[in-house]
Amino acid sequence: MFSPSSAQCRTAVSTTFDTASKSYSILLAEDDSELNHRLTSLLNEQGYIVTSRFCGNDTLNAFHNDAFDLVILDVNLPNLDGFELLNVIRARSQTPVVMLTAYGAEEFRIQGLKSGADDYITKPCNFTEVSLRIEAILRRTQMTQQTNSPSQLSDREITLDKQAYTVLINQKPNLEPIPLTPIQFKLLWTLVENANEVLTKPFLYQTVLEKQFSQYDRALDMHLSRIRKRLIAEGMSNDRIQTVHGKGYIFK
């Protein structure tokens, strides 16, 4: 499989396909030329608008210049790696991000989830899985944005704003909203909406992550840990989100 060297930085032309529904835009960053083109072709066939890049600097420029519904980042990119790009994206946007990691690279998956990635895909890729993962993430994002359900949810000191993916902690002196990623927001919303009820991990995997529960998958734990730490640091009581060992989680 041919891959451009780290010194190379090539840009592919964006391709647009008309679809009956909304055409979602995806920024794809992958320095392996063959894999990049195969993923681009796959996503184009699914009706997505794909902007593909081969290095970190070009990916960052594309992100700054255009709006995207989803970003797919390879971990090992020239110039700026996937984690550096993820940090930049999370500093200014809650756009869903999927990380591409090598098979068996668990430490990379954990690092990505800790840094705010919404999901990860292992290489070599199963292209059916790639398509389904992307559909699931975009579906979660759109469900969160729906206006035919309550746009706000409050429980004591916490108020969630579904339109902005933000949380307000009333004890904060300046009352600034706290931004969350779409998947983190949906997880917190589900917990708060079912306050005082233990939600099992299999239920949360199906409801929030939209995939089967696996005891070896730490995605849910990492997302919840990040939410808990962030909100406690901003003034939420540390006993609001509790782990029920052997079962799941509860929002008290």
Side-chain angles (χ1 to χ4, degrees), residues 6-223:
S6 60
Q8 280 185 301
C9 194
R10 299 178 300 155
T11 303
V13 177
S14 301
T15 307
T16 304
F17 278 62
D18 291 328
T19 57
S21 58
K22 175 185 176 181
S23 294
Y24 293 100
S25 59
I26 295 177
L27 175 58
L28 168 65
E30 168 58 60
D31 69 334
D32 184 303
S33 177
E34 181 177 345
L35 179 57
N36 189 308
H37 289 303
R38 290 181 69 189
L39 283 172
T40 298
S41 297
L42 168 74
L43 297 173
N44 281 336
E45 290 172 3
Q46 298 295 316
Y48 297 111
I49 303 169
V50 183
T51 299
S52 60
R53 296 292 185 263
F54 294 88
C55 74
N57 285 342
D58 278 356
T59 303
L60 185 59
N61 289 335
F63 183 79
H64 284 322
N65 292 332
D66 294 293
F68 297 96
D69 296 299
L70 179 75
V71 179
I72 302 175
L73 296 176
D74 181 33
V75 169
N76 296 313
L77 288 171
N79 310 135
L80 295 172
D81 66 31
F83 297 125
E84 292 173 308
L85 286 168
L86 176 60
N87 289 334
V88 173
I89 291 171
R90 279 292 163 262
R92 58 166 291 183
S93 170
Q94 300 307 311
T95 302
V97 175
V98 177
M99 303 297 292
L100 287 172
T101 64
Y103 177 77
E106 182 179 2
E107 70 278 9
F108 286 162
R109 296 196 293 272
I110 292 174
Q111 183 178 347
L113 292 169
K114 282 184 175 179
S115 299
D118 294 85
D119 205 348
Y120 59 84
I121 296 171
T122 57
K123 298 189 291 185
C125 298
N126 178 304
F127 294 105
T128 300
E129 180 184 5
V130 171
S131 179
L132 291 174
R133 289 284 187 93
I134 289 172
E135 287 179 14
I137 290 173
L138 291 173
R139 185 163 58 247
R140 287 197 299 265
T141 303
Q142 292 307 301
M143 287 177 64
T144 306
Q145 293 176 337
Q146 287 177 353
T147 58
N148 58 355
S149 61
S151 61
Q152 288 195 341
L153 183 63
S154 297
D155 192 298
R156 287 161 50 191
E157 83 275 25
I158 293 179
T159 299
L160 288 77
D161 185 335
K162 186 178 287 189
Q163 300 301 313
Y165 301 153
T166 58
V167 182
L168 192 65
I169 305 295
N170 294 335
Q171 275 79 0
K172 286 191 65 180
N174 52 6
L175 295 179
E176 293 180 359
I178 305 160
L180 297 177
T181 68
I183 193 169
Q184 290 170 356
F185 186 89
K186 186 177 182 182
L187 175 55
L188 182 60
W189 182 282
T190 302
L191 288 167
V192 175
E193 194 173 36
N194 296 277
N196 298 312
E197 179 182 348
V198 177
L199 302 183
T200 66
K201 286 188 176 182
F203 171 80
L204 290 171
Y205 266 79
Q206 289 287 352
T207 304
V208 178
L209 302 185
E210 298 186 8
K211 61 182 180 180
Q212 292 292 328
F213 168 68
S214 169
Q215 60 179 329
Y216 303 108
D217 188 340
R218 298 184 59 192
L220 183 72
D221 299 328
M222 301 306 299
H223 284 306

